[in-house]
Amino acid sequence: MSVSEEGHVANAHAHGRLRVVSLFQEAVGIFGLDGNLRQGYPVDAGRHAVVYSDLDNNGHANNGRYPHWAIDALPPELPTRGTVRDFCINYNREVRLGDTLEMLRATDGQGTWYVEGRHGNAQSFICKIVFG
């Protein structure tokens, strides 16, 4: 699996072909492009204020911290009840010390969760977490 500069994930499929998947496009049916909620989603999953221990040497949030924030945005009982089978993330906009992310989450009801982190009016990241 690889991630392009545009934030797309390439997954290997049958016959040795790669298929580019945008997590944003995949989650459109749940999050909704027009800002309307779909099936009661997304729901507010809290806030995360970027602190010094989140930073890399360039003063940006380290990309290894985003998965922690995503897991923390899930219902508290969820990570302890299942095993993460798949995890994909799109990094779309950097955040820095003192920035506060609005965390949103949605589920398809079949074990797949989407977590989005927003700063201002822009998506900083979106990830897909599949429990099995």
Side-chain angles (χ1 to χ4, degrees):
M1 180 180 335
S2 63
V3 179
S4 72
E5 289 182 23
E6 295 82 27
H8 295 88
V9 179
N11 290 325
H13 280 273
H15 310 295
R17 295 182 185 169
L18 286 178
R19 180 175 66 104
V20 176
V21 178
S22 167
L23 290 183
F24 178 74
Q25 290 301 321
E26 185 175 322
V28 163
I30 295 173
F31 281 94
L33 275 175
D34 57 5
N36 294 324
L37 301 181
R38 303 285 190 257
Q39 303 169 25
Y41 291 104
V43 296
D44 184 346
R47 308 281 178 275
H48 177 78
V50 179
V51 296
Y52 184 77
S53 60
D54 291 328
L55 302 181
D56 61 18
N57 290 337
N58 295 317
H60 309 127
N62 183 301
N63 64 356
R65 301 298 299 154
Y66 291 74
H68 293 270
W69 306 338
I71 293 292
D72 290 343
L74 296 173
E77 69 282 356
L78 187 66
T80 61
R81 286 194 315 199
T83 302
V84 174
R85 222 181 64 226
D86 193 21
F87 185 96
C88 298
I89 189 165
N90 285 356
Y91 300 99
N92 300 312
R93 184 176 294 247
E94 66 191 29
V95 290
R96 297 175 178 270
L97 181 65
D99 290 346
T100 298
L101 290 168
E102 174 188 13
M103 305 297 286
L104 302 168
R105 71 174 180 241
T107 183
D108 68 356
Q110 305 294 314
T112 299
W113 288 82
Y114 295 90
V115 177
E116 179 183 33
R118 298 187 67 78
H119 178 249
N121 291 327
Q123 183 185 79
S124 293
F125 76 94
I126 186 169
C127 70
K128 174 184 174 182
I129 307 167
V130 180
F131 287 88

